Amino acid sequence: MGSPIKCNLKFQEAHPKIIVMNYTSLLSPTGPLTLFEEAGEIIAVEWGQTKGGSETPLLHEAKDQISQYFARERQIFELPLNPKGTEFQKAVWQQMLEIPYGQTKTYGALAKNLKSAARAVGGACGKNPIPIIIPCHRVMGANGKLTGFSGGEGVATKEALLRLESFAT
């Protein structure tokens, strides 16, 4: 079933200098996506399209990798990431990165690993700024129940991403 996603996940405090944020949009099977880069790292993926932007080599590579993912040609993203969040949120997002393509875990299982509550893990999943790449769609409710998803069309988008990955070999 493929290997866990291997990303250069980097968590750091915000830099005091003003940093230019670059962004670009692409069309995906789940709707338009906009990718944001700051200081050479992906900081967000959002549903929706933004006009303009400045496509850097990293954003171009991220677009290529996301397109490959949707074409079932990529299971592992190899991008520098720097999601902004609390230490707990970052710990949850790191756990999500370890869920292999084509597999799922429950909020409760992640909570157990973090010695926390499933509801707290769900809250952190909902705040994930880099969906798809940090695969919050792979986190399920108890007994495999499809529960909330903050991206795209909600649970329908989560279901579409899981259906895409069900073809993992």
Side-chain angles (χ1 to χ4, degrees):
M1 279 287 169
S3 301
I5 292 179
K6 294 178 185 175
C7 290
N8 300 321
L9 189 58
K10 180 180 175 188
F11 298 118
Q12 64 183 22
E13 298 303 314
H15 197 278
K17 290 188 213 174
I18 295 175
I19 297 174
V20 175
M21 185 183 325
N22 297 301
Y23 61 91
T24 190
S25 295
L26 72 146
L27 295 177
S28 82
T30 61
L33 298 170
T34 298
L35 314 172
F36 296 88
E37 173 196 342
E38 183 179 87
E41 298 165 315
I42 301 298
I43 61 164
V45 173
E46 296 179 358
W47 269 267
Q49 190 165 5
T50 304
K51 300 244 187 248
S54 175
E55 185 170 302
T56 64
L58 174 60
L59 288 170
H60 181 79
E61 178 62 24
K63 279 175 65 171
D64 283 350
Q65 288 191 27
I66 288 174
S67 294
Q68 292 164 2
Y69 167 82
F70 281 111
R72 296 188 181 111
E73 297 169 354
R74 174 175 292 276
Q75 296 180 6
I76 298 169
F77 289 97
E78 299 175 86
L79 299 164
L81 306 177
N82 190 8
K84 308 289 192 254
T86 67
E87 290 306 312
F88 177 73
Q89 289 168 339
K90 292 173 187 178
V92 171
W93 301 335
Q94 184 61 50
Q95 289 281 307
M96 290 188 295
L97 281 167
E98 295 170 13
I99 303 170
Y101 181 97
Q103 296 181 28
T104 60
K105 285 199 175 178
T106 64
Y107 296 101
L110 294 183
K112 184 177 179 182
N113 290 345
L114 296 167
K115 297 178 178 34
S116 184
R119 191 172 294 247
V121 167
C125 286
K127 299 285 185 184
N128 174 14
I130 312 176
I132 301 172
I133 297 171
I134 298 178
C136 49
H137 60 278
R138 295 182 189 151
V139 183
M140 311 290 281
N143 299 316
K145 182 178 179 187
L146 279 179
T147 56
F149 189 69
S150 59
E153 299 294 321
V155 173
T157 299
K158 181 174 190 168
E159 187 174 26
L161 293 170
L162 291 170
R163 201 171 35 251
L164 172 81
E165 292 187 11
S166 71
F167 289 91
T169 55

